[in-house]
């Protein structure tokens, strides 16, 4: 039987427009940048300056980090959200932060313009419902082993709560070759645009896990007609407390911005 999702199914040529503060998804190419983890005021200030200079529409950063090892940095939590809110306001950038648990949802919704549901949480139905009920815009990432139908069913849960402000994000799927962290499924992302009218962006950072590949993958996505990209940017990439190998510096992000908007 075909997967049962109705509200998110495409039934016309127009992509749904999703607004999150001043950021718009679904028309043109929306660039989102920021560190994997919010680390400090100074770090976020530097990143925000680069995101603005790049023409980025939104600032990202994690406060509740879904780390593989319990011994790794788990995020600044509520203190991180406060930093994010203050820096976003100071730089005129709306913000997106992941809610890792139902308990995080209210705090993220109160301070940020968009709630991220991370790849590991894509099928956490209570979390999807709680995030949806805030009415906030939601960035829903594809699980590393989720089919497109499963992703669309997860989006359907959000729309069933009366919230249609959903942006989908392809962030790489798990495969057998260790040279890239995941496999960047651009074909899958394009197929999503055929199946749904929700905006679809890509995350080349988690998809590839390699700094050197972020720039060309972003251009590929832009040339292919994706609705945007979310990229991990750090003022001192090698010192990033999480995901250092895939972090790019501010100058690279600014170059990506200049080229990607010229391309589109
Ligand atoms: C992230 O965006 O910081 C993140 C943890 O990504 P994912 O959920 O795709 O692994
Ligand atoms: Mn990360």
């Amino acid at each position: 039987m075909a997967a049962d999702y109705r509200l998110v199914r495409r039934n016309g040529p127009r992509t749904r427009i999703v607004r999150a503060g001043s950021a718009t998804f679904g028309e043109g190419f929306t660039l989102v940048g920021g560190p994997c983890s919010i680390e400090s005021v100074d770090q976020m200030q530097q990143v925000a300056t680069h995101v603005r200079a790049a023409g980025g529409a939104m600032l990202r950063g994690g406060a509740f980090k879904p780390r593989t090892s319990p011994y790794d940095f788990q995020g600044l939590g509520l203190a991180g959200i406060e930093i994010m809110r203050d820096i976003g306001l100071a730089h005129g950038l709306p913000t997106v932060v992941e809610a890792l648990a139902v308990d995080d949802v209210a705090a993220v919704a109160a301070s940020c313009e968009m709630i991220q549901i991370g790849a590991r949480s894509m099928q956490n139905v209570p979390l999807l419902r709680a995030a949806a009920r805030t009415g906030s815009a939601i960035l829903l990432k594809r699980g590393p082993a989720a089919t497109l139908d499963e992703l669309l069913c997860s989006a359907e849960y959000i729309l069933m709560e009366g919230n249609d402000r959903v942006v989908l994000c392809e962030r790489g799927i798990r495969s057998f070759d260790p040279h890239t962290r995941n496999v960047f499924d651009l074909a899958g992302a394009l197929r999503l645009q055929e199946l749904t009218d929700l905006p679809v962006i890509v995350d080349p950072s988690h998809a590839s896990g390699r700094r050197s590949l972020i720039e060309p993958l972003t251009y590929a996505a832009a040339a292919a007609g994706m609705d945007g990209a979310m990229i991990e940017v750090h003022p001192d990439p090698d010192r990033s407390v999480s995901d250092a190998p895939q972090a790019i510096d501010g100058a690279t992000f600014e170059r990506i911005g200049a080229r990607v908007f010229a391309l589109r």
Side-chain angles (χ1 to χ4, degrees):
M1 195 185 95
D4 195 6
Y5 43 85
R6 311 163 192 193
L7 303 172
V8 306
R9 198 177 283 282
R10 178 176 285 286
N11 53 23
R14 276 196 45 243
T15 301
R16 244 181 254 237
I17 304 291
V18 175
R19 291 181 211 286
S22 57
T24 304
F25 295 85
E27 57 180 20
F29 195 82
T30 306
L31 199 53
V32 180
C36 182
S37 296
I38 300 160
E39 298 170 24
S40 68
V41 171
D42 181 53
Q43 171 226 26
M44 291 307 299
Q45 232 148 19
Q46 291 187 58
V47 171
T49 303
H50 289 297
V51 170
R52 283 230 51 142
M58 191 166 226
L59 187 62
R60 67 145 280 146
F64 308 99
K65 295 306 300 178
R67 304 308 300 282
T68 300
S69 167
Y71 298 105
D72 288 340
F73 177 65
Q74 303 289 308
L76 294 181
L78 294 176
I81 293 182
E82 280 173 27
I83 294 173
M84 191 60 140
R85 181 198 57 209
D86 293 349
I87 299 294
L89 285 173
H91 292 260
L93 286 167
T95 60
V96 55
V97 169
E98 176 171 355
L100 192 55
V102 171
D103 281 353
D104 307 333
V105 165
V108 176
S111 294
C112 305
E113 283 70 21
M114 192 174 212
I115 302 174
Q116 177 171 318
I117 303 294
R120 292 159 191 76
S121 302
M122 189 203 85
Q123 288 182 310
N124 181 338
V125 172
L127 180 60
L128 295 173
R129 288 190 173 133
R133 285 176 189 154
T134 64
S136 173
I138 294 179
L139 181 61
L140 178 62
K141 299 189 85 173
R142 180 184 182 185
T147 65
L148 301 181
D149 282 344
E150 287 163 349
L151 172 60
L152 291 168
C153 280
S154 290
E156 187 87 2
Y157 272 103
I158 299 170
L159 271 79
M160 280 181 75
E161 297 299 323
N163 183 348
D164 68 352
R165 302 173 65 205
V166 180
V167 175
L168 303 177
C169 181
E170 152 59 27
R171 47 76 75 204
I173 50 176
R174 190 166 268 218
S175 187
F176 53 85
D177 193 301
H179 277 287
T180 57
R181 184 175 179 179
N182 290 289
V183 171
F184 177 46
D185 188 12
L186 182 56
L190 288 165
R191 179 69 183 134
L192 275 176
Q193 287 183 321
E194 294 180 344
L195 294 169
T196 181
D197 56 8
L198 297 174
V200 183
I201 69 167
V202 300
D203 170 353
S205 306
H206 293 89
S208 71
R210 295 184 86 95
R211 190 173 298 158
S212 61
L213 304 181
I214 309 304
E215 210 179 331
L217 291 178
T218 307
Y219 301 147
M226 300 312 301
D227 298 303
M230 179 165 77
I231 298 174
E232 288 190 343
V233 187
H234 195 283
D236 190 353
D238 284 328
R239 302 184 84 155
S240 179
V241 299
S242 55
D243 287 350
Q246 68 195 38
I248 60 168
D249 61 24
T252 306
F253 190 64
E254 288 183 32
R255 186 171 64 232
I256 289 175
R259 291 192 182 165
V260 100
F261 296 126
L263 188 76
R264 287 289 283 262

